[in-house]
Amino acid sequence: MSVSTRKEGPHFIASRFVLKLDGDGEVGTLQSVEGGAFKSAGIADEKVGKEGLVTRFPGRPQFEDITIQVGMTMSKRFWDWLDASMKYTPIRKDGAIIALDFDNKVRWERKFSGALITEIGFPALDGASKEAAYLTVKFAIESIKEVPADRRSYPAEQENVDEWKKQRQWLASNFTLKIDGLSSGEKLTAKVEAFTIKQAVIDCPTGGFLETTKEPGRIDFPNLSVTILQQDSKPWMEWYEKFVREAHYNSENEKTGHITYLARDVDQGQPLMTLDIFGLGITAISPVKYDAKQEQVQRVKVDLYCESMSLQPFERGVVMK
């Protein structure tokens, strides 16, 4: 009987992905990572004299935007990065994404530089949902480099303040929406559709440098769609009448809103994060489709625009400072 031994190969199953920023250690564990591909800006053809042969060479190096999904495990430095972009003061970040196996050893590391946030996607909220909620963040990078895996040991996730337990606190069903000045209670909102904040990033090729620098452009704040109960729609309709039909669409009649993401179980009712929404204006109210002879609560969909947003993360009900 012969016994064969198998050497450990390059294949592995990723246990978790860690994000680092500014070389100051990790800022949290990622739910997923996508993008960051290495490529060139097309192929250049060169035809010389009478030769039939066409010489080709790659264009400038380009790096695909990176998209990550995160939960409530991220540190204050990460939320500050997002909030700065939303406040028209975008910050470039250098950092790294590290992949760990189930033995908590580093299997690959990709270091990036000059990262600017391009999109912040907030999940759909639904009082009937049982799904976990995640934030989707996309950022452009000026450069990325693959670092050879050294398989060094990394701190276990239990040492990172029970990050997975903290993530499970965020559900798509635990939220409130409050619009200042409306009499309807904030707990009566049934749904908030998913929305994305977009930051334009402009490529700035510079002579003498192969890699392209990037500059931030305008921020595009999204329109919002919320669903409320028909019985609570009266103040919303009054707002529509005054704001749209009577053409009193000015800053005095615009409102401020607050979406608060709440914790579940132990910290029930405690806020995890609040998104403040400024310059809210109402644009439409429409009844949701009803089917005859069906037992269903009647609801109304409200469309809103906004001018800016701000993010406030909390730690056990206390604003992170």
Side-chain angles (χ1 to χ4, degrees):
M1 179 171 126
S2 62
V3 178
S4 62
T5 59
R6 183 179 64 181
K7 295 182 179 180
E8 185 179 1
H11 307 292
F12 75 100
I13 299 176
S15 171
R16 63 188 179 116
F17 299 94
V18 173
L19 176 65
K20 297 176 67 176
L21 291 178
D22 294 333
D24 295 331
E26 67 179 78
V27 295
T29 297
L30 309 179
Q31 179 68 18
S32 67
V33 182
E34 184 179 359
F38 303 79
K39 55 185 180 181
S40 67
I43 300 174
D45 293 342
E46 186 177 81
K47 302 177 182 180
V48 182
K50 298 184 296 182
E51 295 183 8
L53 178 65
V54 177
T55 304
R56 291 181 171 179
F57 54 90
R60 288 176 178 266
Q62 287 187 338
F63 306 100
E64 187 181 33
D65 293 354
I66 296 175
T67 303
I68 59 177
Q69 273 194 327
V70 303
M72 284 297 161
T73 65
M74 311 305 286
S75 73
K76 180 180 181 296
R77 288 185 292 121
F78 178 81
W79 301 115
D80 287 346
W81 186 30
L82 269 58
D83 192 45
S85 181
M86 295 164 61
K87 291 179 177 177
Y88 304 95
T89 56
I91 302 173
R92 286 183 176 82
K93 291 285 187 180
D94 298 338
I97 296 175
I98 301 172
L100 307 173
D101 61 19
F102 279 92
D103 293 324
N104 248 24
K105 294 186 181 297
V106 176
R107 299 304 295 257
W108 59 254
E109 180 176 355
R110 289 174 184 159
K111 293 185 177 181
F112 57 82
S113 62
L116 285 169
I117 292 174
T118 60
E119 293 184 9
I120 305 173
F122 290 83
L125 303 176
D126 186 345
S129 174
K130 298 180 181 179
E131 300 297 323
Y134 299 102
L135 200 71
T136 301
V137 178
K138 186 175 182 179
F139 53 90
I141 52 177
E142 293 183 344
S143 179
I144 190 170
K145 181 180 180 182
E146 185 90 12
V147 179
D150 54 12
R151 299 194 182 181
R152 67 184 184 277
S153 296
Y154 208 80
E157 62 188 81
Q158 290 81 5
E159 299 177 20
N160 295 322
V161 294
D162 296 324
E163 56 191 47
W164 292 118
K165 180 179 178 181
K166 187 177 178 182
Q167 168 53 39
R168 290 193 294 270
Q169 294 292 319
W170 193 13
L171 294 179
S173 58
N174 285 13
F175 71 97
T176 64
L177 170 66
K178 181 179 180 181
I179 308 295
D180 295 348
L182 294 187
S183 59
S184 60
E186 62 267 26
K187 294 185 178 180
L188 302 178
T189 306
K191 293 181 182 180
V192 178
E193 300 296 329
F195 57 91
T196 301
I197 301 170
K198 296 184 178 182
Q199 163 81 64
V201 173
I202 305 167
D203 290 340
C204 299
T206 306
F209 296 92
L210 283 177
E211 294 178 353
T212 302
T213 58
K214 298 180 183 291
E215 295 293 336
R218 290 183 178 272
I219 300 177
D220 180 18
F221 289 98
N223 297 329
L224 304 179
S225 292
V226 303
T227 302
I228 61 174
L229 301 179
Q230 174 74 49
Q231 65 190 39
D232 303 315
S233 64
K234 181 179 178 181
W236 297 79
M237 183 58 73
E238 292 174 349
W239 183 23
Y240 174 85
E241 291 286 335
K242 185 174 184 179
F243 197 74
V244 179
R245 298 190 67 177
E246 297 177 13
H248 293 163
Y249 38 83
N250 50 46
S251 58
E252 294 182 359
N253 289 314
E254 290 179 337
K255 300 185 182 296
T256 300
H258 316 273
I259 299 176
T260 301
Y261 304 89
L262 302 174
R264 56 182 286 191
D265 53 52
V266 178
D267 296 323
Q268 183 71 36
Q270 292 296 319
L272 295 170
M273 179 172 65
T274 294
L275 182 69
D276 296 319
I277 311 168
F278 305 100
L280 272 173
I282 189 169
T283 59
I285 299 182
S286 56
V288 176
K289 178 184 176 182
Y290 305 124
D291 295 321
K293 299 181 181 180
Q294 296 292 324
E295 293 185 4
Q296 57 183 12
V297 178
Q298 295 187 346
R299 294 183 172 90
V300 172
K301 182 180 178 182
V302 181
D303 293 329
L304 307 161
Y305 71 77
C306 72
E307 294 178 348
S308 63
M309 297 181 178
S310 179
L311 196 62
Q312 289 187 65
F314 291 78
E315 178 67 37
R316 296 185 180 277
V318 179
V319 179
M320 290 185 186
K321 298 181 179 179

